[in-house]
Amino acid sequence: MRTCVGCRRRGERSSLLRVVVAPDEAGVLLVDVRRRLPGRGAWLHQSSACLELADKRRAWSRALRRTAPLDTSGVRSFLDSCPHEAVVSTTTDESGSNS
């Protein structure tokens, strides 16, 4: 289980995208589809809403331990090219916890 940097909800590794700083370009974020690129990664639901939350919270710098501003245009274009966005569940179960 990993935690999404945007909504801060936990999810299975298979349902989250790994985002890393591009190895050859300083400050450019990209989606690590094969989950093999070197460096520290952050996890994100396949949702533009989670990307917006991560940007708003300035979570990328903390998660990736970078002080310089980070460019999320590569992640945004990846999400825009996906045919369907995953739906983030906001329902609660009988105990009142989010699922």
Side-chain angles (χ1 to χ4, degrees):
M1 297 285 281
R2 306 283 186 195
T3 303
C4 172
V5 295
C7 65
R8 295 187 276 181
R9 293 187 186 193
R10 295 178 62 90
E12 293 294 325
R13 185 176 175 219
S14 61
S15 68
L16 297 171
L17 299 172
R18 183 172 185 258
V19 178
V20 296
V21 178
D24 55 346
E25 298 180 41
V28 176
L29 296 181
L30 53 90
V31 176
D32 182 8
V33 178
R34 295 185 57 204
R35 297 181 176 101
R36 302 265 190 265
L37 291 175
R40 187 170 183 85
W43 298 87
L44 182 74
H45 283 110
Q46 190 173 338
S47 164
S48 57
C50 283
L51 177 60
E52 294 298 325
L53 282 171
D55 288 343
K56 183 178 177 181
R57 294 180 46 243
R58 291 181 243 147
W60 296 114
S61 297
R62 286 190 304 277
L64 298 170
R65 297 183 182 167
R66 297 288 180 137
T67 56
L70 297 169
D71 179 17
T72 60
S73 61
V75 178
R76 190 171 313 281
S77 65
F78 179 86
L79 291 176
D80 290 343
S81 68
C82 291
H84 297 88
E85 288 185 345
V87 176
V88 178
S89 173
T90 57
T91 60
T92 56
D93 58 13
E94 299 90 39
S95 65
S97 64
N98 289 338
S99 54

